[in-house]
Structure formats: structure tokens, C-alpha cells
Amino acid sequence: MDKNITCIRLKKLRKLHNFTQKQLADYLEIDQSNFSKIENGKRTLNLTLANKICNLYACSHEYLLGISDDYDVENIIVVENNSNMDLNAIAKVNEVMMHLNLLNELDSGVYDGQIDTN
């Protein structure tokens, strides 16, 4: 895992979705200074925060950590003006969309994950 890629992707995703560091910090229930340190590589991202970030952005842990380059914003909630948006609600909707996308992939036989069907 390349920590720099994770930092770059955190900032890229935040800007792509038009969120401020303050909004993300509030959503993650941490201080804005701590989020800034995570985004700038001065603190590490723990599993709880990574899970919440992946749900919010509907991305895989592999994408966030730089293991994969697959990120598709086609089937997720992207809000243009989000100053008063509830990020927990957006994360839940995106989490449901990710599950529906996975079910569609499994149903159509195009899922490329590591599922043992035996």
C-alpha cells in the first residue's frame, strides 16, 4: 500500500464530490485538523474511517488504498450543492447502490471477485 496514493485519492474524492474537509471531519466524527493530517499523510487512516469513506464515495478499499484503479461514479449519489447535505444519508444510499451493483454483477455472471461457489 502506498500511503501517498491513499492521500491523493482522499483529496481527489473529496473534491470530486464537492465536500469540504470540515464536512468530512464531521461525518467521520473527528476534528478537522485530524482529517487534514490524514489527507496530507501525517496520520494514518484506520479501518473504521476507511469503511465510512468507502461507503460515502461508493468506492472499494482497494481503490482507496491504491491497489486498484477501478472507480465508477455512474451509479452513485453525487451532489452538486451539498452544503446542507447529510453525509450519513448519502453514505447509506451509496452503500445500498454498491450492494445492488454487486447483485447485478453476480446475476449477470460478470463479477470478477474471489467468491468460491463450491
Side-chain angles (χ1 to χ4, degrees):
M1 174 184 81
D2 184 347
K3 186 168 77 168
N4 290 329
I5 291 175
T6 301
C7 298
I8 290 166
R9 290 202 172 160
L10 278 172
K11 190 176 287 190
K12 177 182 173 182
L13 287 165
R14 181 176 59 78
K15 290 183 177 205
L16 174 69
H17 292 271
N18 300 312
F19 296 133
T20 65
Q21 283 188 344
K22 173 79 171 119
Q23 286 175 298
L24 264 290
D26 289 346
Y27 165 70
L28 297 170
E29 300 174 336
I30 61 174
D31 292 335
Q32 181 179 349
S33 63
N34 284 339
F35 182 77
S36 178
K37 289 175 185 174
I38 292 168
E39 197 174 71
N40 289 305
K42 296 177 182 166
R43 292 194 75 150
T44 58
L45 187 63
N46 67 39
L47 183 59
T48 301
L49 297 180
N51 286 338
K52 288 186 81 170
I53 289 167
C54 289
N55 285 338
L56 178 63
Y57 296 132
C59 68
S60 68
H61 290 85
E62 291 82 7
Y63 175 78
L64 184 62
L65 299 174
I67 298 167
S68 167
D69 291 330
D70 295 334
Y71 181 62
D72 183 14
V73 295
E74 185 175 309
N75 295 317
I76 65 169
I77 300 291
V78 177
V79 181
E80 294 295 323
N81 181 2
N82 57 29
S83 59
N84 296 321
M85 294 300 297
D86 179 356
L87 298 191
N88 286 298
I90 293 172
K92 282 296 179 192
V93 170
N94 283 337
E95 184 179 16
V96 169
M97 291 302 297
M98 287 190 310
H99 290 292
L100 289 172
N101 289 338
L102 175 60
L103 289 172
N104 284 334
E105 289 176 6
L106 290 170
D107 187 49
S108 65
V110 296
Y111 181 72
D112 60 359
Q114 301 292 328
I115 294 179
D116 184 8
T117 58
N118 295 328

